[in-house]
Amino acid sequence: MSLNAKIMELTEEIGATSLFANIGVGTSLLEKHTKIRVTVANEYVSRRAKAHKRLYPACNVIEGSITDEDVFNKVVAMHKAYQNQICFISCPCQDASSLNTSADKGKGERAALFKASLDFIEATMPDYITFENVPQWLGSRPEFALDILGDKTIGEYGVEALKHLGYNTTVGILSAADYGTAEDRKRAIILACKSQFGVWEFPKKHKFRPTVFDAIGAMKSLEAGEVDPNNKWHYGLPLSPHEVEFLKHTPVGCSAWDNIKKYQPITKKGAPAKALFSASYTRLDPAYPSTVIESGSGILSDVHSVHFGRPLSDGTYSDSRVLSIAEILKLIGADDDFLEPLDAPKTSEEDFDGLTWENGMLISRDEDFIREVLGEHICPKFMLNLVSTMPLPAPANDNSAPEEMAVDVEEETSEVEKEKTAE
C-alpha cells in the first residue's frame, strides 16, 4: 500500500491511550510505521472492545463507559502505569452529526462525553492530545450538556479547559483527502501539547488528492451477488431485480433520482422510494475523493454508498451495487488485510467471537458490524500525518526552542499525479 504520508522518526517508543477506541482503525498504521504504541484503549461496546483486543493483542483494552467511575479509574491507572504520553480522543459523533435527524439528538449522556474526556486529561496530564470529531462538533451545544457548557460551544469549552490545564492548542477543520486518503472525510481536530513543548501545528497539505479511481479503479468489476474468488472481502451484496435495474441506468457519479421515472427507486410495493437525503442512491464520482463513508454503507439508500460503475456497450452501467468491504478499506486508507485477525474462531469467553460466512459473504449480523465500525473510523494515513508534526521537548542540555519531530516523506506518486507533474 502506498502510504503517501509523512513518517515520524523516533529513537524511543512513546506510549498512547485511545479513548472511544472502536476497533482501532485510525491507529492501525502507527505501530507499523512509527514508534508510537497504543498500550491502553477504552471502548464501551463489548464486541468492539473484543475485536480491538484481537487486532491488538498487546494492548490493554478496558471495556465499559468512561463515565462509569470504576472504568474511569481503571483507564487512568493503566495510563499512568504505562507512563503514556499521548491520548487519542474520538468521542461518539452522533449527537453533532448532520446525518443524525433523530428527535433525541443531543439529549442523552453521550452528548457530554467531551467532559469525561477532559476529566481524564486533568487526571493524567498527557504530553500530547488529539480530539477528532465531525466538523459540527466544535460549534455544537447539545441540550444534555448545557449545564456544563453555559454559554459556550463544545469547541470553546474544550479549548478553554485545555489552556487552563497548561496546553497550547491548534484547532481547525481538516480533510483526510488532503493527507493521502481517497475519502473527503472532513473532521474537527484539536491538537494540544503541554506549553513547554511549543505548538503542535497542523501538517502541510499534500499537493494532490487521491481519487476514488486511484484507490479502487483496478479492482475486479462485480455485480450484486457476485464474489471475487481472489479477495474474500470483495463481493457485491445482493439487491432486488428492480434495484439492479435502476442502478444499471444510473450514470457514473449520478443519482438514480435523476433517471427517467421508469428507472427511479421504488419500494417493494411499487411506490416511489423515500430517503432522508438527496444524496441517496448516488454513484461515486471516480474523478474525485469519495464522499464520507458512513456506517450504513451496506444500505443502497445510504449517502454515496454505490460503486461508480463503468459505461457498457448497451448504454447501461456496470457494478450496480454498494461498495464492498475491500473497497471501503482502500478508500479509507486501511491495509487490505486489516480485518484478517477477526476472521478466526473464538478461543475463550473473553475473545472476539469471530465472523461467519455463507455463500462467500458475511452473514448480515457480521456484515453490519464490520460496516458499522469501519463507518466510524479515523483515516489511518490522516492520523500518521497528524502525529508527524508533534513537537518534541528540547534535549536536556539544549536551551534552544523545541523542534518538530524529524520526518521522512514517503510519497509514492500515483500515475495520475505523474502525468500532472509531467505536464
Side-chain angles (χ1 to χ4, degrees):
M1 179 184 71
S2 172
L3 282 179
N4 200 23
K6 293 181 178 180
I7 307 300
M8 59 167 31
E9 293 180 349
L10 294 170
T11 57
E12 297 181 357
E13 292 186 355
I14 294 181
T17 295
S18 177
L19 304 183
F20 317 103
N22 194 350
I23 65 169
V25 180
T27 57
S28 62
L29 297 181
L30 293 183
E31 292 193 14
K32 287 189 174 184
H33 303 290
T34 76
K35 289 185 179 293
I36 293 177
R37 302 289 179 262
V38 179
T39 61
V40 181
N42 172 236
E43 171 53 46
Y44 171 67
V45 181
S46 180
R47 199 177 189 210
R48 293 187 184 195
K50 291 177 179 178
H52 192 291
K53 183 64 177 177
R54 174 78 73 85
L55 290 165
Y56 303 92
C59 181
N60 297 273
V61 182
I62 300 166
E63 181 184 324
S65 173
I66 198 170
T67 59
D68 180 282
E69 185 176 357
D70 288 342
V71 172
F72 181 91
N73 290 337
K74 286 179 182 177
V75 182
V76 168
M78 193 69 72
H79 174 98
K80 291 180 177 179
Y82 278 85
Q83 298 181 326
N84 287 346
Q85 295 173 255
I86 308 172
C87 188
F88 299 123
I89 304 172
S90 186
C91 303
C93 66
Q94 292 89 339
D95 290 286
S97 174
S98 59
L99 295 178
N100 183 358
T101 58
S102 170
D104 294 328
K105 179 178 177 179
K107 296 180 179 180
E109 65 177 12
R110 181 179 59 188
L113 287 172
F114 69 91
K115 180 60 167 63
S117 303
L118 291 168
D119 291 342
F120 178 83
I121 291 170
E122 185 172 7
T124 58
M125 295 299 292
D127 293 339
Y128 308 96
I129 303 156
T130 70
F131 275 94
E132 178 272 350
N133 217 296
V134 293
Q136 299 87 353
W137 180 73
L138 288 174
S140 66
R141 286 173 44 79
E143 182 177 328
F144 185 86
L146 290 179
D147 288 345
I148 300 170
L149 294 171
D151 61 353
K152 299 181 179 65
T153 64
I154 286 180
E156 291 167 341
Y157 183 92
V159 168
E160 183 177 296
L162 289 168
K163 289 183 177 179
H164 178 74
L165 292 172
Y167 291 93
N168 289 333
T169 60
T170 302
V171 185
I173 308 296
L174 303 179
S175 173
D178 292 315
Y179 299 97
T181 305
E183 180 191 12
D184 192 10
R185 193 176 184 88
K186 295 181 178 68
R187 281 299 182 263
I189 300 293
I190 300 176
L191 301 181
C193 65
K194 288 181 177 176
S195 57
Q196 63 264 35
F197 300 154
V199 178
W200 187 353
E201 302 283 0
F202 289 143
K204 184 180 178 180
K205 293 180 181 180
H206 294 193
K207 185 175 182 180
F208 298 108
R209 289 179 140 208
T211 68
V212 168
F213 194 82
D214 290 333
I216 65 174
M219 295 185 71
K220 181 178 176 61
S221 178
L222 296 173
E223 298 303 329
E226 292 185 347
V227 176
D228 182 350
N230 299 314
N231 185 345
K232 67 182 179 184
W233 302 104
H234 187 39
Y235 52 85
L237 288 177
L239 296 173
S240 71
H242 173 72
E243 289 171 328
V244 171
E245 188 68 12
F246 74 67
L247 284 182
K248 283 175 61 177
H249 290 82
T250 303
V252 176
C254 295
S255 169
W257 294 118
D258 296 328
N259 295 342
I260 62 173
K261 188 173 182 180
K262 179 180 179 181
Y263 298 122
Q264 288 184 359
I266 60 173
T267 66
K268 292 180 180 179
K269 295 182 179 180
K274 295 181 179 180
L276 291 174
F277 304 99
S278 60
S280 299
Y281 305 109
T282 299
R283 287 188 181 271
L284 295 177
D285 190 328
Y288 296 92
S290 166
T291 48
V292 176
I293 305 297
E294 297 287 340
S295 296
S297 65
I299 303 171
L300 189 59
S301 60
D302 191 55
V303 290
H304 297 285
S305 63
V306 185
H307 190 278
F308 59 83
R310 296 174 173 86
L312 301 174
S313 59
D314 63 358
T316 63
Y317 296 83
S318 71
D319 295 271
S320 298
R321 57 176 175 82
V322 296
L323 295 167
S324 70
I325 291 172
E327 289 166 334
I328 290 173
L329 288 171
K330 285 187 176 294
L331 288 170
I332 69 177
D335 281 346
D336 293 344
D337 61 354
F338 171 64
L339 297 170
E340 282 299 320
L342 301 182
D343 192 26
K346 183 177 183 177
T347 59
S348 69
E349 285 302 313
E350 302 302 318
D351 190 20
F352 179 71
D353 55 355
L355 301 173
T356 302
W357 301 76
E358 288 182 359
N359 301 317
M361 302 182 188
L362 291 175
I363 62 171
S364 58
R365 172 179 180 263
D366 290 338
E367 184 80 27
D368 292 345
F369 173 76
I370 293 298
R371 288 179 180 270
E372 181 180 77
V373 296
L374 291 183
E376 296 182 21
H377 65 279
I378 305 171
C379 296
K381 294 177 186 177
F382 184 36
M383 182 63 77
L384 272 179
N385 277 269
L386 289 179
V387 301
S388 72
T389 54
M390 273 172 33
L392 285 176
N397 60 349
D398 185 356
N399 295 322
S400 61
E403 297 181 355
E404 287 185 354
M405 290 182 173
V407 296
D408 175 23
V409 179
E410 291 190 4
E411 290 196 6
E412 296 183 23
T413 309
S414 69
E415 293 302 317
V416 174
E417 292 168 359
K418 289 177 181 177
E419 292 176 5
K420 290 180 180 178
T421 302
E423 294 174 1

